[in-house]
Amino acid sequence: EATLEGILWWLGMHAGAMISWQTGILMPFALQNLEANAKAAAAGLPLPHIVTPSFQAHYHIGGTMLALVIIMLFFTKSAHLRQIGRLALVPAIFGIWEPMWFGAPFALNPIFFIPLVLTEVVTMGLTYVLMYFNIIGRTYVLSLWTIPAPLGAFLGAGDIRNTIWNLVLIGITFAIWYPFFVVYDRQLLEKERATGVSEAA
């Protein structure tokens, strides 16, 4: 699911609305898992499921996109990317990444295909493993994707370790995307210099 979602995002399709565990066609199954986890938590029993809407909301690229804004604001030189970073900052805090997705753009951008797909697989894959071994808490509360991710990660599981892990994932996302941004930034910078666009814009 994570791989397919990354591909759909790159193709310009809203994968979250189509197939995701939090808002797409898989959501009914994820909600059943969340209900079972909530009942287990109320009874003081181990939580039986990992995949819930809250699992995906704060541990995939939508929950770690602040890393992309940080790169654009502080680690790029092109006027275009810096402007997109400024415009995307507040929406990104609340899990909205369309300004970056269309503005950079990420959709149909061959440079960003690999990090887009890889981030989905790595962040959710690692989170699944940590929850499987109970290193971080499994989710049993519906924590919506519009809640700032570090807070949402805590609310979904009631475990501060989840917030710490979300911050680690932001760092991992930064490491995945940074080399690709360097390449794209150079391309944009060359075009801006050729057309007389100021780097300080």
Side-chain angles (χ1 to χ4, degrees):
E1 187 267 345
T3 302
L4 180 58
E5 189 167 333
I7 293 172
L8 290 174
W9 279 118
W10 185 81
L11 289 172
M13 303 178 189
H14 199 298
M18 294 174 65
I19 64 168
S20 80
W21 296 102
Q22 55 181 327
T23 53
I25 61 174
L26 296 175
M27 188 177 183
F29 306 100
L31 283 173
Q32 289 181 346
N33 290 348
L34 188 72
E35 181 183 14
N37 281 2
K39 290 179 178 178
L45 300 174
L47 307 189
H49 300 291
I50 295 175
V51 178
T52 70
S54 302
F55 162 77
Q56 185 171 40
H58 307 298
Y59 304 103
H60 78 135
I61 192 171
T64 63
M65 70 178 72
L66 277 178
L68 310 185
V69 175
I70 291 170
I71 293 173
M72 286 189 280
L73 286 177
F74 302 107
F75 295 90
T76 61
K77 296 180 180 179
S78 74
H80 175 73
L81 287 179
R82 289 192 174 188
Q83 181 64 22
I84 294 301
R86 287 192 287 266
L87 293 172
L89 176 58
V90 173
I93 292 173
F94 297 97
I96 300 166
W97 78 313
E98 280 77 1
M100 283 188 289
W101 183 34
F102 291 113
F106 297 157
L108 298 177
N109 187 329
I111 295 174
F112 289 144
F113 176 78
I114 291 176
L116 189 55
V117 175
L118 187 61
T119 302
E120 293 286 301
V121 174
V122 169
T123 57
M124 285 198 288
L126 291 176
T127 301
Y128 187 96
V129 171
L130 292 182
M131 288 185 177
Y132 180 83
F133 289 106
N134 297 311
I135 297 174
I136 63 174
R138 300 184 185 188
T139 56
Y140 62 94
V141 175
L142 183 59
S143 179
L144 298 178
W145 59 271
T146 51
I147 300 172
L151 174 61
F154 171 77
L155 294 176
D159 193 329
I160 193 62
R161 294 176 299 175
N162 291 54
T163 293
I164 295 170
W165 175 239
N166 178 265
L167 295 174
V168 171
L169 285 180
I170 291 175
I172 291 173
T173 299
F174 182 100
I176 291 173
W177 280 81
Y178 179 75
F180 298 91
F181 263 106
V182 168
V183 174
Y184 190 49
D185 185 46
R186 287 174 182 168
Q187 290 185 3
L188 291 180
L189 197 55
E190 289 177 3
K191 292 180 181 178
E192 289 172 0
R193 286 171 175 168
T195 56
V197 177
S198 172
E199 295 179 32

